[in-house]
Amino acid sequence: LKHERPEQRTATRLVFLGTFAPLASSALQTPLAHAMADITQHVRELLCTLVADRLGPERVAELLGDRIAIRVFTAYLLKDADNIPPKGTYEPRVYSNRGGVNYYRPDGWVQVWIKAIDQDPDFVELQDWPIAYHGTDSSKLGSILEAGLRKPGELPRVQMAHGSAGAGPEGAIYTSPSLWLASHPVYSTLLKLDDERWVQFAFKVRVRPNSYKVQRSTLSSSEHWDAGIQMDPNMPHNESLEWLNASSTDVLVVGLMLRELGPVVDTGVFGTLASRVVAHPTKGPEYSWTALLQATIRSGGYIIDSGDLRLGFNS
């Protein structure tokens, strides 16, 4: 598959790779292999269902092929909701540092691989592009898979969804180095799959170094999140969690993240906290999940202290 350079492309041309094993073959035991096969089939059926109406069966087949590739990031910080590692002993799991930005291991997510553009010899430069995320509603999966992330108004179907805090008159694409922030239900809405079972989506992206403006989380200090609690346990404060990207050519979609919530989810993958989400009596499961998440993070002592906050304003 050939690709236009990021600044030349008019659409994101994607292909899902073959089977991906997250462990060495010697460590891939039969139960895990069966679980991976089940998850892969489940994800494929889910994506086909969600994007077929918009893209059509032929385009879905072109995008997904006969097999899709996934990687499972099992829950660790949220693995046992009653015994979250305390802040004083927790060590963030940093996979790499790209463009001066840490890439933290996702906590209880399934990643669908999109064509590994950063391994293409024509895109060596992407090795240094930081990894970030963009939470989205399931109704937008098809258009983003087809055309990439775009600013409001750039395409007729791209409309503003969450306000434009910090963006200029030309608008911006919002991304975050934090999957915890990008997956907040304000951005990554919950799609009901079955009774007491929901799924969230966030796109994994690469962002051109120094092409973005950094600002504090606009959810912090709002009704959606307690200003005194870290939105991301990997980051000591909430002052630099949002990136504003002025050009769509500076943001390249490279993966799709999925997380399931509800009493029947696989706790070995998504953690026990995810299994405690229920439909809120009046507001929906989003409020149940946010309340659980804040309470759990608070119980681990992930509170923003004044020293960290000062560092945030100076960074």
Side-chain angles (χ1 to χ4, degrees):
L1 181 67
K2 295 184 178 180
H3 305 275
E4 300 87 356
R5 295 184 64 81
E7 55 271 8
Q8 295 174 329
R9 83 188 198 286
T10 56
T12 305
R13 302 169 64 189
L14 312 172
V15 59
F16 290 90
L17 305 179
T19 302
F20 174 82
L23 301 176
S25 57
S26 60
L28 192 60
Q29 302 300 317
T30 300
L32 179 57
H34 287 168
M36 288 291 292
D38 290 344
I39 293 173
T40 300
Q41 181 62 24
H42 169 61
V43 170
R44 176 182 174 79
E45 291 175 355
L46 177 61
L47 291 178
C48 285
T49 299
L50 291 175
V51 302
D53 289 345
R54 180 172 189 86
L55 301 183
E58 293 183 0
R59 182 58 175 150
V60 171
E62 180 182 350
L63 288 171
L64 299 182
D66 295 329
R67 296 177 296 175
I68 66 171
I70 67 170
R71 182 171 186 178
V72 176
F73 295 97
T74 56
Y76 59 99
L77 192 66
L78 300 178
K79 180 180 180 179
D80 183 350
D82 297 319
N83 293 286
I84 181 173
K87 181 177 180 178
T89 62
Y90 171 64
E91 294 184 6
R93 300 186 181 186
V94 180
Y95 268 8
S96 63
N97 184 287
R98 314 247 179 155
V101 179
N102 284 341
Y103 166 44
Y104 297 99
R105 180 189 184 281
D107 191 332
W109 287 85
V110 174
Q111 174 177 303
V112 179
W113 285 92
I114 295 173
K115 176 65 177 177
I117 299 175
D118 57 340
Q119 297 177 7
D120 189 310
D122 293 333
F123 291 92
V124 176
E125 64 187 272
L126 289 182
Q127 292 289 349
D128 293 326
W129 285 33
I131 291 171
Y133 301 92
H134 177 89
T136 191
D137 182 89
S138 61
S139 65
K140 298 181 174 62
L141 292 179
S143 60
I144 294 175
L145 286 172
E146 185 72 7
L149 287 172
R150 300 301 181 113
K151 295 190 298 184
E154 192 171 353
L155 296 175
R157 61 179 176 269
V158 181
Q159 304 297 324
M160 187 180 301
H162 304 293
S164 57
E170 299 301 319
I173 296 170
Y174 288 79
T175 60
S176 175
S178 168
L179 181 54
W180 294 73
L181 172 62
S183 62
H184 189 287
V186 166
Y187 306 125
S188 177
T189 56
L190 274 61
L191 171 68
K192 186 173 183 179
L193 298 177
D194 205 341
D195 289 340
E196 301 295 307
R197 182 163 164 257
W198 301 269
V199 64
Q200 288 184 286
F201 300 95
F203 281 99
K204 183 178 182 180
V205 301
R206 289 295 189 93
V207 180
R208 191 189 304 274
N210 304 314
S211 67
Y212 50 87
K213 172 187 173 183
V214 179
Q215 69 179 20
R216 71 188 300 271
S217 166
T218 50
L219 287 186
S220 186
S221 303
S222 74
E223 63 177 323
H224 302 295
W225 196 263
D226 187 325
I229 301 175
Q230 294 169 230
M231 296 201 73
D232 186 335
N234 297 306
M235 302 181 183
H237 53 73
N238 303 331
E239 302 306 313
S240 54
L241 297 188
E242 289 189 5
W243 292 357
L244 279 68
N245 307 272
S247 173
S248 58
T249 62
D250 295 330
V251 182
L252 193 63
V253 174
V254 296
L256 178 64
M257 311 299 295
L258 301 89
R259 175 170 63 191
E260 291 193 7
L261 304 170
V264 299
V265 303
D266 185 341
T267 56
V269 174
F270 303 107
T272 60
L273 191 66
S275 71
R276 297 181 180 179
V277 175
V278 295
H280 191 282
T282 59
K283 299 181 179 179
E286 296 85 356
Y287 292 85
S288 171
W289 172 240
T290 303
L292 287 167
L293 194 58
Q294 288 192 96
T296 301
I297 293 175
R298 184 189 293 111
S299 72
Y302 295 87
I303 306 300
I304 300 172
D305 63 42
S306 57
D308 291 333
L309 194 56
R310 285 194 296 272
L311 287 174
F313 282 119
N314 292 329
S315 60

